[in-house]
Amino acid sequence: MITTSDPARLDRLTGYLGVDPDNPHLLRDHANCALTLGYPEAALPSLARLCARDDAQADDFAAHISALRQTRQPEAARAAVASALARWPRHDWLRLEAALLNFAAGELEAALEHLPQVTDDAGLYPRIAETRIRLLHHLGRIDEALAIGEAMLADLPGATSVKAVLCPVLLDANRLDRAQMLAREVLAESGPLYDVLETLAGAALDAGDVEAAGPWLDQALAARQDDGRIWLLRGLTHMRAHDFARAEPAFAQAVALMPAHAGSHLARGWNLYAMGRTDDAMAAFEGAAAASPAFAEAYGSQAALFALTGRPERAQELLRKARLLDHQAASVQYVAALLRDAKPEDIALLAEQVIVRARNPNPK
């Protein structure tokens, strides 16, 4: 496959195809050139023509599926990958494309099943590793994601893309120094890739530097709006500044994008309480418990709110439940302090402590 290209070459190949439209070598060159340049829509006609040939190769189908996926045609891509895997069930690139389609559809376990365990294709090796790290991270299997990432970097120390996907995993594992070190390396090598923006913003927020976190979050949200983790960090920056009104829509967006992430519900709940919306806060805490029934902070937060609103018996009941799950839960530790003097800064600090313990996609 061609690894370097330019628009002028793509134009020349397009002209050649006008003269010889069924030449498979020209079709592959044209498609590879377009994909390398980041023009998957321009590659689609050549790839479709290649896949219709009797002598079509597995790589032709894999490239076609990749272009369909990149141009947001998931149904066509899924149909094509099912057909291709029936012919070439062990083809690594096809299996990677199947995994990426599963991932995009939220079918995380199916995605892991499709990913090859090993590959002889040096070009695919980092992409498969990156995808596995992302999947394990989304599944809350932080230790496995870390082990694979560090092993990959030991094999290929210069794998910038692997460093990038490993950064948010390290952040969630509270290995902030390592996360920031890799993020800075990625910045120097490839610029502000999306994964490192989240890492740098989260690390700045953990250090109490709201001002430094802001620009990283602005860049991340300019790149994409569909990542609940970035909205959660945005909400926390506003909350740290006691700007609860601006934090609320950010937290609401985080909850909408990550309904199964208990930490987002909890952060929103404490922010709502700081705004004086006690009933809405309790509903958010109940949402956290529904999202993660074994997560102590959900019940500890409810207990604190009951205590603050003059219902000590119900508070004690929920505190017992929280302590059984985790006697070191931040919310359990803060209940007494909140009862003494529930200042907004106390509430913001509690939310931050809860989120530190709830960073994993599936907190236990």
Side-chain angles (χ1 to χ4, degrees), residues 154-170:
D155 285 347
L156 295 175
T160 301
S161 57
V162 175
K163 293 179 189 177
V165 300
L166 191 55
C167 283
V169 184
L170 288 161

Side-chain angles (χ1 to χ4, degrees), residues 171-172 174 205-206 229 232-233 236 239-240 251 255 258 261-271 273 281 284-289 291-292 294-305 308 319 322 326 328-335 338 345-364:
L171 187 67
D172 282 357
N174 293 318
L205 188 60
D206 279 351
R229 294 165 62 93
L232 177 58
L233 288 173
L236 287 171
M239 196 175 190
R240 173 67 73 88
F251 285 138
V255 168
M258 302 188 299
H261 182 234
S264 298
H265 293 273
L266 292 176
R268 187 185 186 199
W270 282 114
N271 191 70
Y273 178 76
F285 294 156
E286 290 168 352
S292 189
F295 188 43
E297 300 289 4
Y299 307 104
S301 294
Q302 291 180 59
L305 192 53
L308 287 166
L319 269 180
D326 181 1
Q328 294 183 335
S331 51
V332 171
Q333 303 299 317
Y334 272 85
V335 167
L338 286 168
E345 50 266 38
D346 293 326
I347 295 164
L349 181 57
L350 172 57
E352 290 165 17
Q353 293 294 321
V354 168
I355 293 302
V356 166
R357 296 174 63 83
R359 271 205 177 111
N360 294 357
N362 296 301
K364 295 294 186 285

Side-chain angles (χ1 to χ4, degrees), residues 98-249:
L100 292 171
L101 288 166
N102 288 136
F103 199 168
E107 301 160 356
L108 305 186
E109 296 290 355
L112 275 178
E113 289 177 12
H114 272 125
L115 269 182
Q117 290 294 328
V118 294
T119 181
D120 294 328
D121 189 325
L124 287 182
Y125 179 39
R127 293 185 61 199
I128 290 169
E130 295 157 26
T131 305
R132 191 176 301 281
I133 292 165
R134 289 187 193 278
L135 283 167
L136 291 169
H137 188 200
H138 277 69
L139 286 165
R141 292 159 62 177
I142 302 297
D143 290 344
E144 291 177 67
L146 286 175
I148 288 171
E150 297 292 5
M152 178 72 187
L153 290 182
D155 285 347
L156 295 175
T160 301
S161 57
V162 175
K163 293 179 189 177
V165 300
L166 191 55
C167 283
V169 184
L170 288 161
L171 187 67
D172 282 357
N174 293 318
R175 293 179 55 188
L176 302 184
D177 290 344
R178 174 74 169 150
Q180 289 184 85
M181 183 190 77
L182 289 184
R184 296 293 178 187
E185 288 181 11
V186 172
L187 276 178
E189 294 164 2
S190 298
L193 298 183
Y194 185 81
D195 290 298
V196 306
L197 295 173
E198 176 192 347
T199 300
L200 293 168
L205 188 60
D206 279 351
D209 193 344
V210 174
E211 190 172 337
W216 299 122
L217 292 171
D218 290 341
Q219 288 185 63
L221 288 170
R224 52 185 288 196
Q225 298 273 312
D226 62 346
D227 185 348
R229 294 165 62 93
I230 296 297
W231 286 108
L232 177 58
L233 288 173
R234 172 62 85 195
L236 287 171
T237 60
H238 291 317
M239 196 175 190
R240 173 67 73 88
H242 303 160
D243 192 345
F244 305 116
R246 291 181 70 192
E248 161 55 17

Side-chain angles (χ1 to χ4, degrees), residues 1 31 35 40-41 43-51 57-88 91-102 104 127:
M1 180 170 289
L35 289 173
E41 65 286 344
L44 280 171
S46 294
L47 291 168
R49 190 178 288 272
L50 277 170
C51 291
Q57 301 173 11
D59 278 1
D60 299 330
F61 279 86
H64 189 213
I65 293 157
S66 179
L68 289 169
R69 177 176 55 78
Q70 292 177 63
T71 54
R72 296 194 168 124
Q73 301 181 61
E75 294 308 316
R78 287 170 81 97
V81 83
S83 173
L85 281 174
R87 294 175 63 181
W88 299 285
H91 189 268
D92 289 344
W93 188 6
L94 286 173
R95 293 177 65 193
L96 171 62
E97 288 298 329
L100 292 171
L101 288 166
N102 288 136
R127 293 185 61 199

